[in-house]
Amino acid sequence: MSSMFFGHYLLEQGAIQREGLLNAIERQRNTNRPLPDIAVGEGLLDQAKADQIHAMFRVSNSSYEDLCISEGSLSRADVERLSRIQSTEWLRIGAALVKGGYLSDTALTTHLEDFNAIDSAQQSTLESEFNHLEESIIVRACTDLTLRHVARMTGAPVKLQRIDPSNGTLRQGFRRFAQNIVGDRDFCITVDLGDPLFSIAAKGMLGVEVDPASEAARDAGCELINLIGGNACTQLEPQGYTLRPEPPFSPDNSGPDQEERPSIRGAALAGDDHFELNIFIDPP
Amino acid sequence: MTSQTVMTIDDSAAILTIIAAYLEDSEFKVIASERDGRRAVEVFREIRPDIVLLDLIMPGQSGMETLSQILALDPDTCVVMVSSLGTEDAVHQCLSTGARSFLQKPFSRDAFIDFLRNLENQPQNPRIES
């Protein structure tokens, strides 16, 4: 079994159904508040300032903690208190499933123990296999950028996964957001967004909800690929890696040729939750 | 404050929307937005904006080709390359071809407007901090 997220583990075990998982993810989204929203609830920030911090978070490298201090004039003690509130009320996927009536307390405890034992052993093995690879520096950089540009908007978890070597693809259920290392390496980084990537990208960039199948959503998704690819090239250049970003493409937008030159390229399908960032590497 | 006209060229409608929103209520007025380099050169020929914001990586005609064609029409045009790619090679190539400056995405609204206001003073500042 590949390393996976707990929700998908439960699905694979037959402990829950897909509908239950989606509802639990939705419940998490409605419950788990970012720091600026908690600060509004505590009367430390007004809504306009919180909105400004959200906007800055999307385009800067700063954490919510730092932005609350620099932009919201909160003290470090205030932020630490808000973080404690956040961790107290933070709803994890297992608890969300129990609250929704999709899993019993007893089943949660049993499955969680089993999952943690399997998962920690597998992550440890994968990490030790992965960390010595020359490519790891590139994937780490791309992961950092992914987190900066996408996943931090949702607080989504990130994991190292193994690609199925028989067909070169990820296991079903892990393709929401993947960064593949193309070649003979069977690793990739996945981020479980729980929502179509393009919806998240469009909302993050444009500040409005758009139809995931719309051109606006596709554009936002492609721009996101551009951001990750371009920023990764920039970040890796001083370390001696020469990569070349290609324009993003999708089936209705003719993409780059398939020649394997050093490049970072993305492929995406509008309205789908499938995204891949392929990294062709020319090590120094 | 004197108003300046701006033309934006980017294959991403999302970026065109964001830039237009950033420049709303500023002294910079977006008078044209194009998603295709070839078409953008034709529009540029007609409208001659004060500032051109040009994406580097675009499908079809690239940002570099578009830059060369715009400067062939008017070598004094203030063209700012806007890209997520900020490698030394990319920046050097754009500036040596005649771009006034280079702006790396992503950027915040305030940093973006400050950058445009300082274009005259900092003609070859390749990157800004968001």
Side-chain angles (χ1 to χ4, degrees):
Chain A
M1 185 183 71
S2 292
S3 179
M4 61 174 66
F5 296 99
F6 184 51
H8 290 129
Y9 168 80
L10 292 172
L11 263 185
E12 191 166 87
Q13 293 294 307
I16 57 170
Q17 301 299 311
R18 179 177 166 78
E19 184 195 357
L21 180 57
L22 294 176
N23 285 340
I25 290 169
E26 184 64 26
R27 185 182 285 268
Q28 278 186 301
R29 190 174 301 120
N30 294 331
T31 304
N32 296 342
R33 296 183 296 164
L35 281 187
D37 294 359
I38 298 173
V40 171
E42 294 294 307
L44 294 173
L45 291 178
D46 61 29
Q47 191 57 53
K49 181 59 76 177
D51 290 344
Q52 184 190 335
I53 291 173
H54 282 308
M56 293 191 72
F57 179 76
R58 291 180 189 123
V59 297
S60 75
N61 301 333
S62 303
S63 65
Y64 268 134
E65 287 85 349
D66 290 341
L67 289 172
C68 282
I69 292 170
S70 63
E71 305 302 319
S73 302
L74 300 191
S75 65
R76 178 63 63 186
D78 285 335
V79 169
E80 285 172 0
R81 187 169 70 82
L82 294 173
S83 297
R84 282 195 296 274
I85 294 173
Q86 185 184 48
S87 59
T88 304
E89 68 181 27
W90 198 263
L91 188 63
R92 300 177 74 91
I93 191 68
L97 285 162
V98 172
K99 270 184 182 291
Y102 300 105
L103 197 66
S104 70
D105 272 322
T106 313
L108 171 61
T109 306
T110 307
H111 284 299
L112 200 52
E113 281 174 6
D114 293 346
F115 172 77
N116 284 339
I118 295 168
D119 188 59
S120 65
Q122 287 182 336
Q123 275 295 302
S124 170
T125 306
L126 279 173
E127 290 280 343
S128 63
E129 284 180 44
F130 175 78
N131 282 337
H132 76 278
L133 295 178
E134 197 166 30
E135 292 91 332
S136 65
I137 192 168
I138 294 176
V139 176
R140 294 288 183 211
C142 288
T143 303
D144 174 58
L145 289 157
T146 302
L147 291 171
R148 184 181 308 166
H149 293 311
V150 194
R152 279 174 53 202
M153 291 180 198
T154 62
V158 178
K159 284 203 171 184
L160 187 61
Q161 302 282 345
R162 192 186 287 282
I163 300 169
D164 181 352
S166 64
N167 58 16
T169 62
L170 298 176
R171 295 167 64 90
Q172 189 70 24
F174 296 105
R175 304 197 62 157
R176 289 182 185 279
F177 192 106
Q179 296 177 353
N180 288 351
I181 308 170
V182 175
D184 58 359
R185 307 300 190 192
D186 57 355
F187 293 99
C188 72
I189 301 289
T190 63
V191 183
D192 189 1
L193 294 171
D195 225 6
L197 171 75
F198 285 12
S199 296
I200 291 173
K203 190 172 181 189
M205 288 186 178
L206 308 175
V208 293
E209 301 274 0
V210 301
D211 180 350
S214 66
E215 191 186 359
R218 197 201 66 164
D219 269 332
C222 288
E223 188 53 31
L224 186 68
I225 297 166
N226 258 349
L227 276 177
I228 296 170
N231 287 183
C233 294
T234 307
Q235 188 171 311
L236 292 164
E237 186 191 49
Q239 296 172 56
Y241 290 87
T242 306
L243 299 107
R244 171 179 151 169
E246 303 279 2
F249 62 96
S250 59
D252 58 340
N253 174 15
S254 60
D257 59 48
Q258 297 304 303
E259 182 189 343
E260 287 202 10
R261 58 184 170 230
S263 66
I264 291 183
R265 64 178 65 152
L269 290 165
D272 199 352
D273 60 4
H274 166 205
F275 164 77
E276 291 181 16
L277 183 68
N278 296 324
I279 307 164
F280 292 82
I281 302 160
D282 185 21
Chain B
M1 206 172 284
T2 315
S3 175
Q4 288 189 283
T5 56
V6 175
M7 177 181 188
T8 54
I9 307 167
D10 198 307
D11 61 299
S12 163
I15 289 297
L16 295 178
T17 304
I18 289 170
I19 288 178
Y22 278 4
L23 295 183
E24 211 172 61
D25 301 326
S26 78
E27 69 270 33
F28 301 98
K29 182 177 170 53
V30 178
I31 58 170
S33 297
E34 292 296 331
R35 298 179 62 184
D36 173 78
R38 208 166 274 119
R39 158 89 184 145
V41 173
E42 295 308 312
V43 173
F44 172 84
R45 190 196 302 272
E46 301 299 324
I47 64 171
R48 303 296 173 119
D50 296 319
I51 299 169
V52 175
L53 302 173
L54 173 58
D55 186 20
L56 179 58
I57 304 166
M58 296 192 289
Q61 181 165 300
S62 72
M64 284 303 296
E65 290 172 277
T66 306
L67 171 66
S68 298
Q69 290 176 15
I70 286 175
L71 292 177
L73 290 170
D74 182 353
D76 294 327
T77 306
C78 176
V79 182
V80 176
M81 303 305 289
V82 182
S83 178
S84 55
L85 177 69
T87 59
E88 294 295 331
D89 185 46
V91 173
H92 177 76
Q93 207 181 347
C94 291
L95 296 182
S96 61
T97 302
R100 179 72 60 85
S101 195
F102 193 105
L103 183 57
Q104 190 179 353
K105 294 185 276 192
F107 41 77
S108 68
R109 178 187 185 276
D110 290 347
F112 181 50
I113 291 184
D114 282 347
F115 176 87
L116 293 180
R117 285 177 181 155
N118 289 320
L119 266 177
E120 290 298 324
N121 304 330
Q122 299 173 350
Q124 297 215 331
N125 177 21
R127 293 169 195 169
I128 63 170
E129 296 298 325
S130 57

